[in-house]
């Protein structure tokens, strides 16, 4: 844990300075920054901001820490300054033989977000694709940069969004979800704002400020959110959601490593 640093060059590239008012923790590509009573969880693994096993485990760790922190009243998932998240780093998963472990951890992450005791917001500063789209959808409210694309893209590359499809199918209107899943064509941010899927779109430099404003509004119920938000999840996304994620695990592993899936 270190004192809050000045804004980095990466933040100057599109989202404006980051003003930390409390501790900053950083492990590998994942950083947790306290801004007032809001914990911002960011990760940066490169241009597309792809996920690997270690990165997902670190994001899980920071989310659990924020949920247990009495000084944290809300959480923001923010990805990196240039890309929210481009999904899984499939070549790395194949090369390292970590596909099954990765899938299990991603499923744990997608299960955790809806049942955190703190409100969860998403600052989508750039593209949110594949499982990155799932994370953006699972947030209680998301603000996206007006240039961002959001959706699954696996079908366009001859693959399938085995895990990402679960949140998409649960949280988007059925025909809209099916269109995206089977074509792999992502949505422009403005389309999802018009449908109410996004709380707002904004120029990239304004996304952080808009999300911080929403996060502070969502923080007002305080400890009551611990009970209310979990009940909200049971009333909505969790109706069959966890079981559907569990079923997706075998499909993902079979797609990347048929031998391992059959073992």
């Amino acid at each position: 844990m270190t004192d809050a640093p000045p804004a980095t060059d990466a933040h100057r590239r599109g989202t404006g300075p980051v003003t930390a008012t409390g501790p900053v923790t950083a492990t590998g590509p994942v950083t947790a920054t306290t801004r007032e009573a809001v914990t911002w969880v960011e990760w940066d693994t490169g241009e597309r901001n792809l996920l690997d096993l270690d990165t997902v485990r670190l994001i899980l760790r920071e989310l659990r820490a924020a949920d247990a922190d009495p000084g944290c009243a809300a959480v923001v998932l923010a990805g990196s300054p240039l890309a929210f998240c481009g999904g899984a780093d499939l070549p790395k998963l194949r090369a390292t033989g970590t596909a099954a472990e990765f899938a299990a951890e991603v499923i744990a992450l997608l299960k955790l977000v809806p049942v955190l005791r703190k409100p969860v917001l998403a600052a989508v500063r750039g593209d949110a694709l594949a499982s990155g789209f799932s994370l953006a959808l699972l947030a209680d409210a998301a603000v996206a940069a007006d240039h961002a694309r959001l959706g699954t893209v696996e079908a366009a590359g001859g693959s399938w969004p085995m895990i990402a499809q679960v949140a998409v199918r649960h949280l988007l209107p059925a025909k809209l979800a099916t269109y995206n899943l089977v074509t792999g064509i992502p949505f422009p941010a403005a389309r999802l704002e018009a449908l109410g899927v996004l709380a707002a779109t904004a120029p990239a430099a304004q996304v952080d400020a808009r999300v911080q404003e929403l996060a502070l509004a969502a923080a007002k119920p305080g400890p009551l959110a611990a009970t209310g938000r979990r009940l909200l999840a049971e009333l909505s996304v969790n109706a069959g959601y966890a079981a559907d994620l569990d079923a997706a695990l075998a499909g993902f592993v079979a797609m990347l490593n048929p031998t391992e899936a059959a073992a």
Side-chain angles (χ1 to χ4, degrees), residues 25 30-43 58-79 84 109 112-125 135-136 138-143 208 210-222 225-226 229-230:
T25 62
V30 179
T31 302
T33 306
T34 301
R35 308 186 202 179
E36 299 179 71
V38 181
T39 298
W40 284 64
V41 179
E42 301 170 87
W43 58 98
L58 289 169
I59 294 170
L60 276 165
R61 188 184 76 175
E62 294 299 346
L63 290 180
R64 288 169 178 147
D67 205 37
D69 179 3
C72 170
V75 177
V76 173
L77 294 167
F84 181 74
L109 176 60
L112 178 65
V113 172
V115 297
L116 288 172
R117 293 172 295 180
K118 314 294 172 69
V120 179
L121 292 297
V124 183
R125 301 145 163 176
L135 285 173
L138 288 168
D140 301 328
V143 177
D208 281 20
R210 295 289 300 275
V211 172
Q212 181 72 0
E213 181 182 358
L214 288 175
L216 291 174
K220 289 181 180 179
R229 192 171 184 275
R230 287 183 171 178

Side-chain angles (χ1 to χ4, degrees), residues 132-161:
F133 184 41
S134 296
L135 285 173
L137 287 176
L138 288 168
D140 301 328
V143 177
D146 47 21
H147 69 273
R149 302 175 303 145
L150 301 92
T152 65
V153 292
E154 290 88 335
S159 183
W160 191 263

Side-chain angles (χ1 to χ4, degrees), residues 20-106:
T21 58
V24 176
T25 62
T27 306
V30 179
T31 302
T33 306
T34 301
R35 308 186 202 179
E36 299 179 71
V38 181
T39 298
W40 284 64
V41 179
E42 301 170 87
W43 58 98
D44 191 343
T45 62
E47 182 179 0
R48 296 166 59 200
N49 210 18
L50 300 178
L51 297 174
D52 58 21
L53 177 60
D54 290 339
T55 301
V56 174
R57 285 177 170 168
L58 289 169
I59 294 170
L60 276 165
R61 188 184 76 175
E62 294 299 346
L63 290 180
R64 288 169 178 147
D67 205 37
D69 179 3
C72 170
V75 177
V76 173
L77 294 167
S80 80
L82 296 182
F84 181 74
C85 180
D89 188 342
L90 297 182
K92 184 173 184 179
L93 297 182
R94 291 189 179 100
T96 57
T98 55
E101 290 178 275
F102 171 83
E105 295 292 346
V106 167

Side-chain angles (χ1 to χ4, degrees), residues 149-253:
R149 302 175 303 145
L150 301 92
T152 65
V153 292
E154 290 88 335
S159 183
W160 191 263
M162 292 292 181
I163 295 173
Q165 68 182 331
V166 177
V168 174
R169 190 61 180 82
H170 275 264
L171 292 167
L172 282 186
K175 292 298 289 184
L176 197 68
T178 301
Y179 160 80
N180 173 236
L181 293 169
V182 303
T183 65
I185 300 173
F187 303 103
R191 174 85 188 279
L192 295 184
E193 180 187 25
L195 292 166
V197 176
L198 293 172
T201 58
Q206 298 175 19
V207 168
D208 281 20
R210 295 289 300 275
V211 172
Q212 181 72 0
E213 181 182 358
L214 288 175
L216 291 174
K220 289 181 180 179
L224 288 174
T227 300
R229 192 171 184 275
R230 287 183 171 178
L231 177 59
L232 178 63
E234 293 298 329
L235 292 171
S236 53
V237 69
N238 272 6
Y241 172 71
D244 290 345
L245 280 172
D246 290 338
L249 175 59
F252 182 85
V253 174

